[in-house]
Amino acid sequence: MSTRLSNGGRLVNKAKPVEFQFNGKRMKGYEGDTLASALLANDQMLVGRSFKYHRPRGIVASGGEEPNALVNLGQGGKFEPNQRVTTTELFDGLYATSQNHWPSLEFDVGAINTHFARFLPAGFYYKMFMFPRPFWKHVYEPFIRQSAGLGKAPKERDSDTYEHFYHFTDVLVIGGGIAGLAAALEAAQSGLKVTIFEQTHHWGGRAVVDGAEIDGKPADDWVKDTVQTLEGMENVTIRARTMGAGVYDHGYVLGYERLTDHCPDQDGPRHRLWRIRATQIITATGAIERPLSFAGNDIPGVMLAAALRDYVVNWGVSIGDRTVVVTNNDDAYRTAIALVDAGLSVPAIIDARTDGAGPLADAARAKGIRVEMGKGIAKVKGGKRVEGVAICLQAGEGAVIEEIKCDAVAMSGGWSPVVHLWSHCGGKLIWDEAQAMFRPDPSRAPTGDKGQPFVAAAGTANGNLRTAAVLEDAVAQAKAAVKAAGGKPKAGKAPAGSDAEEGAISPVWLMPQGAPIQLRMKSWLDFQNDVKVSDVQLAAREGFESVEHAKRYTTLGMATDQGKLSNINGLAILSDALDQAIPQTGTTTFRPPYTPISMGAIGGEARDELFQPIRKTPMHGWHEANGADFEPVGHWRRPYAFVRSGESVHDAVMREVKNTRRNLGLLDASTLGKLIVKGPDAGKFLDMMYTNMMSTLKPGKCRYGLMCNENGFLIDDGVVARIDEDTFLCHTTTGGAERIHAWMEDWLQCEWWDWKVYVTNATEQFAQVAVVGPNARKVLEKLGGMDVSKESIAFMEWKDGQIGGFNARVYRISFSGELSYEIAVPASQGRAFWDALLAAGEEFGVMPYGTECLHIMRAEKGFIMIGDETDGTVIPQDLNMEWAISKKKEDYLGKRAQERSYMASPDRWKLVGLETLDGSVIPDGAYAPAPGDNANGQRNVQGRVTSTYFSPTLGRGIAMGLVHKGPDRMGDVIEFTKGDGTFVKAKIVDQVFYDKDGEKQNV
Amino acid sequence: MLILECPCCGVKSEETEFHAGGEAHLKRFGPGSTDAEFEGYLFMRENKRGVHFERWRHVNGCGKWFLAARDTNTLEFFGFYPAQTHEPPQDIKDKISAKHPGWSWREFQ
């Protein structure tokens, strides 16, 4: 069993016990523990079940590379799934539960899958669930969804806060091991701005565990001194618990600081996302130990050799009384020595190499540890816990020589430098044959805006495994980075490091090398995704030769750990199966973030009212105080309807339509885009922008215009008023002002740059009110100041003047079909003008109306709405709007496209009105099926609804839609889907339902 | 996130201040053009891995469009120049030639 030792544990404070819960069980740990070390101290080796076979899984690693030990952390608003126990610092009251098991961790029904493993090979899901096709939707998928998945998504709103932090630095060092510290100190001595991050809360990395010496003192002391020096320097920013998450273009880096994960009761944000611009980046991210592939290497109790050492040295936790060490390199001997020094037993070191072990092996032998050279593990015995190992010849096929009883296995397959950050932005790798590892190729570094390299790897991350070389490399890289960042490196040498000599590694990708299929089927490569040696070999046989294809087919290296332990072993097996060299196979792509970061940190402060600025009209306050039911339109909030007490929203809309048609309605139209286009070439320019002829418009007049893109499709519409010879005011749709302004600027700056035209967006300078209804003229006459008679200002004319003492520009335009004046006043006067209209309008039955009333009234009139009748594939001709397309103009944006054969085809769907035979309302977006099926076996369609409403004016449902050859089929009855399997019959009619001759608006 | 320098106002800034606008030096074809010419204008792009000319707008700054020469492979910018031109200036072409001898882009090189 795993337990707490009475001695040791350099990181734990035994004076401060901490209580926590795992699966409802109360447990004890100490301050300084991770959840992993505390669970192990409580003999909780089993922490989860594997993804596919639901095999029992224990903790394998001691850091961010941990693939198995993922738990649900916290409760309620602090619940978070998939948290690695190895990177979770223990705190009093911590609450964790295991995931991916049913009904319980100890007994999991899904574990039966392991007995069917031979029926669940790589690509199983792709092969098995193809046929019969309907089974996928109704049988396979629901079952897989039930049993698959790691953590559960949180149900409650996240109760924590998060923040973003912007930071600029000359040299950024990622990694707080001895390489990072030495590099940071060297760079800082130049006086440049230096930043250093360490992802854990303790500095020094592996060196402090492994007992190296630096400048004649223990690494631990050197690390403490160096951190203290750096903390005292003004030009240095130093942060623990902060991970370099990703390196992006031109020196952009994301840092992920975990502020209160270890003390959740403290005030302040939980995570901080650092958004950094660094001139030079040094990745001193160390290396990750590789597992060995032998049968049963996933049984709880089999652990990375260095992790086992970490638990003993850092947290005073032993994984078992008897640990067998299995290795292909010298480093794992350190584990054996550390265990024996802690008073534990190491029955044997199984070394796959036939010779070549260095002084560490001698030291181990001197401590009385049995060393078996040229041997391997044939298989691990045990179920939920290691019980022993069977030893065989590494060169053989797994014939068992001897069985050794043990309760833990420490494995080491060598070390892989953490090259993720180097690779994120394009840094390339080379294969180091002697050390059996991929390491950064310094001649192919990520490049910045001037083509200069901006990332350098240092220390172990750069392929240096020995202390002296690590420190020398770190200082050399720092000097180079200082120079590249424009500074002057200080003269001086690297600190002198010393540690034990090491013999050469001998790569071992499969143990034993001739392992038969029974063993390969139990030799795990990827613990998290249940990928075995046999799966990768099968993928290669089935033709998935690219490493990227093999990854997707087998799921090797996917999910939360992204193959930190499995990738190199997997691609070595793939290379072997394809009979090619490892560098020829290459690696999969390293993508940020290095380990998962919280969604909250990505969002930062951008939530609730800070998510997005809201645009409000000058009358917004009145709307809020008078029952407005708001809807978002672009960044604006517009009243959908003004709901009175005792009314439903629908009631309010009906009332508003009726009242506007009978009496007087007011619409806050301030959100409408208003672009001023000015200059001697303004008319010529607008002739290109609009399908209509705008240059012939007389000052004082208005014209409705359509805008298309170069594909011919409608992008906007609105009324253009000519202010004077040189000036036009173009109204755009509510959401369209900024987009159309940019569109005009693009053409003026990049195509017709010699045309003399200025465009400015005056949308927010004006408040605009539509005064609509039979009583519209009366209320304006009552306010007085301007002659608003038909003779003075006719339909589609505008006039400047005064209304009720307000400076106003009055447009006689109508989107409702009623007598209508749209009146613009300076924005600062908007609310006062609105109030004046309401007061004066009282005797005329005034009621404000919202956007839904506007929509119904325009639909009753058959007016189109951009975004309803158009969807980016509709041309004006589809909407029967040839009347708005000038025949006289040689050119306008979209003209050439509308001449293309498909656009000019008589087969296009065209706009018509639709009247249901039973008077009901057709569902929004409904399609009209046509006889027969298409090439994909789907039902043919002949049209769809674009706008559909209940018209209180007509007392029935009305709709517009695009129908195949629609205008030629007036009077035909076609069916539309209702979404519940039934259909509704509708007659094709003219799209204008109300006041077809436009008499009401023209009085 | 790229760093760009606006040739109009001189500000050097992060990509979030700018807006990308696709390939540069397109020739517009309107009414009277053949189907092939119009298709080329609307849809055919160089889409190069390597030397690339592209349109950018300093949208959260001076508002001006400008053009940039960039290596899409290494993300190196060779230079920024005004949008009111049909070809990149000679000094930028020289800078590109130094790193990519024999490069070409539609009509020019």
Side-chain angles (χ1 to χ4, degrees):
Chain A
M1 59 184 277
S2 61
T3 184
R4 183 83 65 180
L5 297 164
S6 53
N7 293 317
R10 47 184 289 278
L11 298 179
V12 290
N13 178 4
K14 289 192 177 166
K16 288 218 171 153
V18 170
E19 263 207 7
F20 69 103
Q21 275 192 52
F22 177 74
N23 282 351
K25 243 193 294 185
R26 290 191 175 279
M27 297 184 179
K28 255 192 191 151
Y30 295 114
E31 184 185 83
D33 260 327
T34 62
L35 180 52
S37 64
L39 285 170
L40 290 169
N42 286 276
D43 196 29
Q44 186 65 49
M45 173 57 80
L46 178 63
V47 286
R49 293 272 173 172
S50 69
F51 191 71
K52 196 159 141 189
Y53 305 125
H54 293 244
R55 280 172 70 92
R57 286 290 158 77
I59 297 163
V60 175
S62 60
E65 67 277 18
E66 171 62 37
N68 287 342
L70 305 176
V71 295
N72 301 312
L73 211 58
Q75 290 168 287
K78 284 186 176 288
F79 173 87
E80 207 173 17
N82 292 336
Q83 296 305 294
R84 289 178 304 283
V85 299
T86 50
T87 58
T88 302
E89 290 177 48
L90 197 67
F91 55 85
D92 212 26
L94 182 147
Y95 182 94
T97 54
S98 55
Q99 49 191 37
N100 198 33
H101 56 71
W102 186 84
S104 78
L105 179 60
E106 297 297 323
F107 174 76
D108 185 335
V109 168
I112 193 144
N113 283 0
T114 194
H115 301 294
F116 296 111
R118 72 163 76 186
F119 305 115
L120 291 165
F124 167 73
Y125 292 100
Y126 303 116
K127 295 167 186 160
M128 173 64 200
F129 299 123
M130 290 294 287
F131 304 100
R133 287 185 78 154
F135 268 51
W136 172 253
K137 192 171 171 195
H138 301 292
V139 180
Y140 299 140
E141 193 187 358
F143 176 75
I144 290 170
R145 286 208 182 281
Q146 173 74 28
S147 41
L150 292 166
K152 295 270 180 280
K155 287 205 174 71
E156 280 181 42
R157 183 188 165 80
D158 189 340
S159 61
D160 283 305
T161 60
Y162 303 84
E163 71 179 23
H164 285 185
F165 186 73
Y166 293 84
H167 185 66
F168 298 85
T169 190
D170 295 312
V171 178
L172 170 66
V173 180
I174 299 170
I178 56 169
L181 290 169
L185 184 62
E186 175 66 34
Q189 281 164 349
S190 74
L192 290 184
K193 276 182 74 177
V194 173
T195 305
I196 176 167
F197 288 160
E198 161 57 38
Q199 63 180 348
T200 68
H201 77 285
H202 46 94
W203 299 86
R206 287 230 59 81
V208 290
V209 177
D210 294 348
E213 281 195 359
I214 301 173
D215 281 344
K217 51 188 172 187
D220 223 349
D221 295 348
W222 181 87
V223 166
K224 279 192 188 106
D225 292 349
T226 308
V227 169
Q228 204 171 20
T229 308
L230 288 169
E231 281 171 345
M233 294 175 83
E234 275 189 7
N235 59 328
V236 175
T237 305
I238 174 166
R239 287 286 188 285
R241 296 190 176 100
T242 308
M243 175 180 79
V247 173
Y248 305 83
D249 308 347
H250 295 180
Y252 185 69
V253 179
L254 284 186
Y256 176 62
E257 184 173 11
R258 300 169 67 187
L259 293 158
T260 62
D261 275 349
H262 62 292
C263 48
D265 294 333
Q266 195 176 302
D267 281 345
R270 176 169 169 240
H271 297 150
R272 176 184 289 147
L273 193 72
W274 290 59
R275 305 177 64 167
I276 306 165
R277 275 289 171 188
T279 312
Q280 287 288 313
I281 299 159
I282 294 175
T283 64
T285 43
I288 293 175
E289 196 169 29
R290 291 192 293 260
L292 284 166
S293 304
F294 49 82
N297 62 350
D298 70 324
I299 293 170
V302 181
M303 200 178 268
L304 293 172
L308 229 122
R309 191 152 88 231
D310 284 341
Y311 286 115
V312 171
V313 176
N314 279 341
W315 294 287
V317 169
S318 93
I319 305 307
D321 294 351
R322 291 165 59 82
T323 304
V324 167
V325 175
V326 55
T327 183
N328 63 346
N329 63 78
D330 277 13
D331 185 60
Y333 284 78
R334 291 195 171 96
T335 299
I337 294 167
L339 292 175
V340 170
D341 285 351
L344 298 162
S345 157
V346 176
I349 297 173
I350 313 296
D351 193 329
R353 298 172 294 181
T354 44
D355 55 20
L360 282 166
D362 300 335
R365 284 195 188 94
K367 287 185 184 286
I369 305 173
R370 170 183 166 199
V371 177
E372 286 287 343
M373 300 303 292
K375 302 283 179 359
I377 290 183
K379 114 201 283 193
V380 178
K381 305 263 182 186
K384 286 181 196 156
R385 193 63 211 260
V386 171
E387 288 162 13
V389 292
I391 308 300
C392 64
L393 288 173
Q394 168 60 17
E397 291 179 22
V400 176
I401 300 169
E402 179 190 351
E403 286 188 7
I404 302 176
K405 286 227 171 298
C406 61
D407 45 14
V409 175
M411 61 180 166
S412 177
W415 290 83
S416 298
V418 175
V419 295
H420 300 63
L421 294 166
W422 164 272
S423 301
H424 282 170
C425 197
K428 300 288 186 287
L429 306 173
I430 41 176
W431 177 250
D432 182 331
E433 194 74 46
Q435 301 194 90
M437 60 166 70
F438 276 108
R439 58 180 173 81
D441 178 353
S443 68
R444 294 183 294 164
T447 48
D449 62 331
K450 302 273 187 291
Q452 79 284 14
F454 70 89
V455 183
T460 312
N462 200 21
N464 301 291
L465 295 181
R466 300 283 310 284
T467 307
V470 163
L471 291 167
E472 274 162 30
D473 184 43
V475 168
Q477 300 295 353
K479 282 186 197 288
V482 165
K483 250 191 231 166
K488 252 199 188 145
K490 207 169 151 250
K493 286 208 302 213
S498 71
D499 52 17
E501 287 287 331
E502 287 183 34
I505 183 177
S506 167
V508 169
W509 308 120
L510 185 57
M511 179 174 274
Q513 63 143 14
I517 184 70
Q518 301 91 312
L519 295 184
R520 282 182 275 134
M521 277 183 66
K522 295 284 180 205
S523 301
W524 260 258
L525 289 169
D526 186 321
F527 301 112
Q528 186 169 94
N529 299 298
D530 266 337
V531 181
K532 300 152 295 172
V533 169
S534 54
D535 293 319
V536 172
Q537 289 168 333
L538 178 67
R541 279 204 305 280
E542 294 188 344
F544 294 88
E545 299 183 0
S546 149
V547 63
E548 298 282 5
H549 289 162
K551 168 175 173 173
R552 271 80 189 172
Y553 192 57
T554 60
T555 69
L556 175 87
M558 308 231 289
T560 68
D561 69 335
Q562 286 290 297
K564 288 188 176 63
L565 297 188
S566 62
N567 272 350
I568 303 298
N569 286 347
L571 66 93
I573 294 290
L574 182 65
S575 302
D576 181 59
L578 297 171
D579 207 13
Q580 66 188 19
I582 286 173
Q584 220 176 314
T585 305
T587 64
T588 51
T589 309
F590 296 90
R591 293 193 179 85
Y594 172 61
T595 62
I597 65 176
S598 64
M599 294 302 285
I602 296 169
E605 299 90 341
R607 58 197 261 184
D608 301 328
E609 65 273 20
L610 294 181
F611 178 68
Q612 194 177 56
I614 293 177
R615 298 176 76 180
K616 298 174 179 177
T617 73
M619 293 79 114
H620 191 89
W622 191 92
H623 303 335
E624 275 181 327
N626 287 276
D629 189 55
F630 286 102
E631 67 165 344
V633 184
H635 285 185
W636 297 98
R637 290 288 177 278
R638 297 190 74 180
Y640 179 88
F642 294 90
V643 184
R644 295 180 172 180
S645 70
E647 259 184 350
S648 69
V649 175
H650 178 76
D651 295 342
V653 171
M654 296 297 117
R655 171 180 53 75
E656 289 171 8
V657 174
K658 284 182 201 155
N659 185 68
T660 306
R661 292 257 185 249
R662 278 179 210 155
N663 298 310
L664 178 60
L666 294 184
L667 174 78
D668 179 359
S670 309
T671 59
L672 226 58
K674 302 164 209 72
L675 303 178
I676 296 170
V677 179
K678 191 176 176 67
D681 293 320
K684 177 166 131 185
F685 175 63
L686 291 184
D687 280 349
M688 289 303 295
M689 290 289 115
Y690 287 93
T691 60
N692 326 56
M693 185 81 92
M694 290 299 175
S695 55
T696 56
L697 190 64
K698 298 272 177 293
K701 301 275 187 192
C702 301
R703 184 168 290 165
Y704 173 74
L706 299 176
M707 270 191 197
C708 298
N709 58 21
E710 280 284 66
N711 285 294
F713 301 127
L714 275 163
I715 57 169
D716 209 66
D717 69 346
V719 170
V720 177
R722 188 162 200 167
I723 307 301
D724 58 38
E725 200 51 45
D726 273 4
T727 315
F728 294 80
L729 190 141
C730 304
H731 287 107
T732 74
T733 53
T734 287
E738 287 70 29
R739 179 170 53 88
I740 298 302
H741 183 201
W743 172 246
M744 289 183 173
E745 281 293 333
D746 191 349
W747 288 99
L748 282 173
Q749 291 181 32
C750 302
E751 186 68 24
W752 305 303
W753 61 71
D754 52 335
W755 293 11
K756 296 190 177 87
V757 183
Y758 282 110
V759 181
T760 195
N761 184 351
T763 302
E764 292 185 347
Q765 306 303 310
F766 297 98
Q768 198 148 316
V769 183
V771 183
V772 182
N775 294 339
R777 186 171 285 140
K778 289 181 202 155
V779 71
L780 297 181
E781 282 169 346
K782 181 178 171 192
L783 283 168
M786 186 192 286
D787 180 358
V788 291
S789 67
K790 185 177 180 181
E791 294 68 37
S792 165
I793 175 168
F795 187 53
M796 295 308 273
E797 287 183 354
W798 67 271
K799 221 162 91 168
D800 277 345
Q802 288 229 321
I803 298 270
F806 295 91
N807 288 327
R809 175 169 288 166
V810 181
Y811 305 89
R812 262 211 66 192
I813 52 182
S814 178
F815 199 39
S816 56
E818 297 298 328
L819 171 65
S820 162
Y821 297 83
E822 287 205 12
I823 303 170
V825 299
S828 58
Q829 301 290 304
R831 175 64 194 273
F833 184 60
W834 178 264
D835 290 343
L837 281 167
L838 283 171
E842 207 172 343
E843 59 175 294
F844 305 113
V846 69
M847 283 183 198
Y849 66 89
T851 51
E852 185 64 2
C853 172
L854 169 153
H855 272 277
I856 292 175
M857 291 197 296
R858 66 94 194 166
E860 289 173 342
K861 282 292 293 174
F863 293 145
I864 65 140
M865 185 70 122
I866 297 292
D868 284 337
E869 275 61 46
T870 72
D871 64 356
T873 68
V874 171
I875 58 176
Q877 291 85 341
D878 296 339
L879 305 180
N880 315 314
M881 295 180 96
E882 282 85 356
W883 56 269
I885 303 172
S886 167
K887 306 276 184 302
K888 292 186 210 139
K889 292 194 296 190
E890 270 179 30
D891 196 3
Y892 60 82
L893 297 181
K895 183 176 169 74
R896 175 64 184 84
Q898 288 159 8
E899 291 165 359
R900 304 181 87 204
S901 57
Y902 184 69
M903 300 295 189
S905 160
D907 265 333
R908 289 183 72 84
W909 290 6
K910 289 197 162 203
L911 190 70
V912 291
L914 297 162
E915 252 180 38
T916 49
L917 299 189
D918 61 3
S920 66
V921 181
I922 310 177
D924 214 349
Y927 271 81
D933 290 344
N934 69 13
N936 296 320
Q938 299 154 326
R939 186 79 186 265
N940 282 327
V941 285
Q942 56 176 333
R944 67 183 161 84
V945 165
T946 56
S947 289
T948 173
Y949 302 98
F950 180 78
S951 161
T953 314
L954 304 170
R956 62 186 333 285
I958 59 166
M960 286 190 277
L962 291 160
V963 175
H964 183 226
K965 296 188 175 182
D968 303 334
R969 298 167 62 185
M970 287 295 158
D972 282 9
V973 173
I974 57 175
E975 286 190 324
F976 285 87
T977 54
K978 283 177 77 174
D980 58 0
T982 64
F983 298 90
V984 55
K985 284 189 164 62
K987 188 160 80 173
I988 299 177
V989 297
D990 184 78
Q991 78 203 51
V992 184
F993 293 93
Y994 175 73
D995 188 25
K996 285 192 198 291
D997 300 326
E999 283 163 359
K1000 295 200 69 163
Q1001 67 194 16
N1002 207 8
V1003 291
Chain B
M1 195 167 20
L2 303 170
I3 293 176
L4 297 95
E5 191 171 335
C6 173
C8 176
C9 66
V11 164
K12 188 171 178 171
S13 183
E14 305 242 318
E15 197 176 329
T16 46
E17 208 165 286
F18 299 87
H19 183 77
E23 282 190 14
H25 302 302
L26 293 178
K27 181 174 164 17
R28 179 172 186 262
F29 283 91
S33 57
T34 64
D35 275 355
E37 284 168 336
F38 189 64
E39 183 198 17
Y41 158 56
L42 271 193
F43 304 118
M44 304 310 273
R45 297 292 180 265
E46 294 289 285
N47 196 26
K48 286 239 167 104
R49 175 172 180 155
V51 181
H52 195 264
F53 298 94
E54 52 201 25
R55 293 159 21 91
W56 287 87
R57 187 180 181 211
H58 195 184
V59 64
N60 294 316
C62 69
K64 293 295 185 227
W65 281 95
F66 61 90
L67 306 181
R70 185 170 66 101
D71 185 333
T72 55
N73 207 22
T74 65
L75 306 184
E76 174 178 5
F77 276 115
F78 301 107
F80 306 91
Y81 53 103
Q84 295 76 30
T85 175
H86 297 290
E87 269 190 41
Q90 194 57 45
D91 64 316
I92 290 178
K93 286 183 176 182
D94 291 345
K95 244 172 116 178
I96 299 170
S97 298
K99 283 211 173 163
H100 299 270
W103 67 277
S104 71
W105 182 267
R106 293 206 182 91
E107 305 74 68
F108 54 83
Q109 55 189 8

